[in-house]
Amino acid sequence: MFRNLWKWIIIPLLLVTVGIVIVIYTVNNPTDSLVARVLTYSNVLRALSEHMSLMLVSMFGAILVGGLVGILLSRPELYYLGRGVENIVNIGQTIPSLAILALFYTILGLGFRVAVFALFLYSILPILRNTFAGITSVDTSVIESAKGMGMSPFRILAKIELPIAYPIIIAGIRTAVVINVGAATLATFIGGGGFGDLIVTGLSVRRDMVIFTGAGLAALTAIILDYIIGQVEQRLVRWS
Amino acid sequence: MIRLENVTKKFPGMKAPAVKGLNMEVKEGDVCVLVGPSGCGKTTTMKMINRIHEPTSGAIYINGEDALKMNPIKLRLDIGYVIQEIGLFPHMTIEENVATVPNEKKWPKDKISKKVDEMMTLVGLDPKVYRKRYPSALSGGQRQRVGVARAMVSDPPIMLMDEPFGAVDPITRARLQNEFLRIQERMGKTIVFVTHDIDEAIKMGDTIAVMRDGCLVQHATPSDLLSAPADEFVASLVGRNRSIKRLHLVRIREILQEVDRAKPATVDMPLDELKKRLEDSDIRSVMVVDRDNKLKGIIGVDDLKKKTGEVAADYIQDITESVTSDATLNDALSVMLECGEGYVAIVNEDDQYEGTITLGDLLNVVKEDG
Ligand SMILES: Nc1ncnc2c1ncn2[C@@H]1O[C@H](COP(=O)(O)OP(=O)(O)OP(=O)(O)O)[C@@H](O)[C@H]1O
Ligand SMILES: [Mg+2]
């Protein structure tokens, strides 16, 4: 009971508090007037909310599409196609996120939506790959015994394949979130906003404090989300 | 009733068919055991019955109905299935695993729970201990038993069992086999049972189907198979000591009435009477029972010299092994060999004494049949 409280409430709260302390400290102790003008509560909050929107919207789409496509490709009829897609995904993953953003900038132009779309595409990859890998790694004898006991393909997917694959799928989502939060700092280059705004402004006016605040908050966001999803993952593998 | 007509299965990309022109019938309430060397098509044959594999050609009838035209899901819900690789669901507890089919059939919760307890007890897994465990925390033999419980829980009229006792030790296996046969006697299910072990086949089968390279070589009762093997292959499969194998076919209770042996002594029997009993005995010992006829021990002729006392209880020696009367003569033989004695005490499930059989009794059976 106490362990649960600690794991699910106290640690995340501590991490959030660290973020709040960083913000309060830097806003109240600007090194000069230029820093004071950039680091206001409203600027930091706007960066935070933009960053979160970028992440949430793109992740929501990525989980939906990546999960569904992963499930589809894992069906026996599409298995070989899935193997091919898996390879393409692995190659796609090696393209730097900045290059992806640049690519979409040239095709679609500037703005929040373009940034979301680029992040969405980039986050699909680990989710799709892990969903496919997780489902296809389920022992064939397990599927066969389910089939032999009269479960329909849909029931087998919902009751057997997905639950067994959950830990791997969640691990994919976790990877995607961390990548996503990191890559979202680049959205500023195509006018997507987020903590990247703080970092780039800090760079252009040469104020370390601004850079650190932006980078620190982005990193902290990634750490918190990674931690929480990690806990969910642990809960799901009670059985192994 | 299951009937296979000219069933052939050729897997894509394989040169020879895995099963060739198989004709076979399993009568209602019969246990048909498929035996044969590894890769001869036993599993494939079984999987065509519940349509995990579709036959390349031929027809399969279940209770007169064309199985290939039935809805496969409905078909499978009424066929218990124990697969060779066990295939428990790793993310579900033992309880949830066993409850799979009842859940699919949407039974009420309390009925499921009661039935799960019953099945787990039946296969020798204490529900209190194992209910909430995950399969990863079970031994191979225990998992196999969960697999059997899971297949039987909804009382399907037909069962397909692919080497269900392959991973358990010989003693547990014999116990499970006897348990299985006792249930089968009551339930009268139609069962197709695969095994590598010809002894198991002889013991369990009403009929035995011997397969080789995808073909059915002989389908006969165990007794016929032993006395008239169709060819060299079957003969070598059943082995040379065929008359000894007959011991698998006879249950102890079938010969228990015929053997004439000294009555057991009671714990409070006076010494004189005890001596008389011992003189009557052909094994130089008598079994000792208490007032409820429960087996307490044994007294040999030599024990009388070693100790002193007024009544039987003063001379009693512990007895290490006994067998139940529904075990086979072969089980009795195993126990005798294990204990190095020429006799074994027979008890019922409540440990009440039913009789004693000796090596001589077994030899008589083998001689009569041979
Ligand atoms: N899904 C499959 N695809 C291709 N070939 C298969 C498949 N399943 C079985 N076979 C082949 O069919 C033949 C018969 O296999 P089967 O599993 O029926 O043997 P078995 O008698 O059950 O053997 P064992 O006693 O080892 O379990 C084997 O040669 C095997 O390689
Ligand atoms: Mg097999």
Side-chain angles (χ1 to χ4, degrees), chain A residues 140-153 155 159-161 163-164 238-240, chain B residues 47 50 52 73 76-77 79 81 83 85-92 100-101 104 134 136 150:
Chain A
T140 48
S141 70
V142 169
I143 310 259
E144 196 190 294
S145 66
K147 194 172 158 190
M149 280 185 291
M151 290 174 91
S152 66
R155 296 272 302 165
K159 290 265 151 186
I160 311 288
E161 291 176 298
I164 294 177
R238 249 175 331 168
W239 44 271
S240 67
Chain B
K47 285 182 185 173
N50 66 356
I52 297 284
I73 303 221
R76 290 174 193 144
L77 277 175
I79 300 183
Y81 183 40
I83 78 168
E85 300 85 358
I86 309 175
L88 296 186
F89 306 137
H91 62 303
M92 294 185 185
T100 308
V101 177
E104 290 300 300
Y134 286 94
S136 56
R150 182 174 69 170

Side-chain angles (χ1 to χ4, degrees), chain B residues 13 25 129 298 314:
Chain B
E25 186 174 331
V129 180
I298 186 169
D314 299 322

Side-chain angles (χ1 to χ4, degrees), chain B residues 11 14 18 37-44 84 163 196:
Chain B
F11 287 107
M14 302 283 289
S38 193
C40 69
K42 305 182 293 291
T43 300
T44 309
Q84 193 167 8
E163 303 202 25
H196 268 116

Side-chain angles (χ1 to χ4, degrees), chain A residues 46-61:
Chain A
R46 202 193 59 232
L48 174 70
S49 81
E50 282 168 355
H51 209 93
M52 286 294 131
S53 324
L54 281 169
M55 196 267 308
L56 286 176
V57 177
S58 60
M59 276 308 295
F60 179 77

Side-chain angles (χ1 to χ4, degrees), chain A residues 162-207:
Chain A
L162 279 178
I164 294 177
Y166 274 150
I168 301 177
I169 298 176
I170 302 280
I173 293 177
R174 192 173 167 187
T175 313
V177 165
V178 173
I179 293 175
N180 189 301
V181 172
T185 54
L186 302 173
T188 179
F189 293 120
I190 56 172
F195 290 130
D197 277 358
L198 294 179
I199 299 173
V200 171
T201 313
L203 281 169
S204 62
V205 300
R206 302 196 188 189
R207 291 297 184 276

Side-chain angles (χ1 to χ4, degrees), chain A residues 67-100:
Chain A
L68 281 179
V69 175
I71 290 171
L72 249 131
L73 289 176
S74 70
R75 298 303 86 200
E77 300 81 22
L78 292 177
Y79 180 75
Y80 287 100
L81 182 64
R83 273 277 119 88
V85 171
E86 197 178 20
N87 289 328
I88 296 171
V89 164
N90 284 335
I91 295 168
Q93 196 87 84
T94 62
I95 304 172
S97 33
L98 194 56
I100 299 234

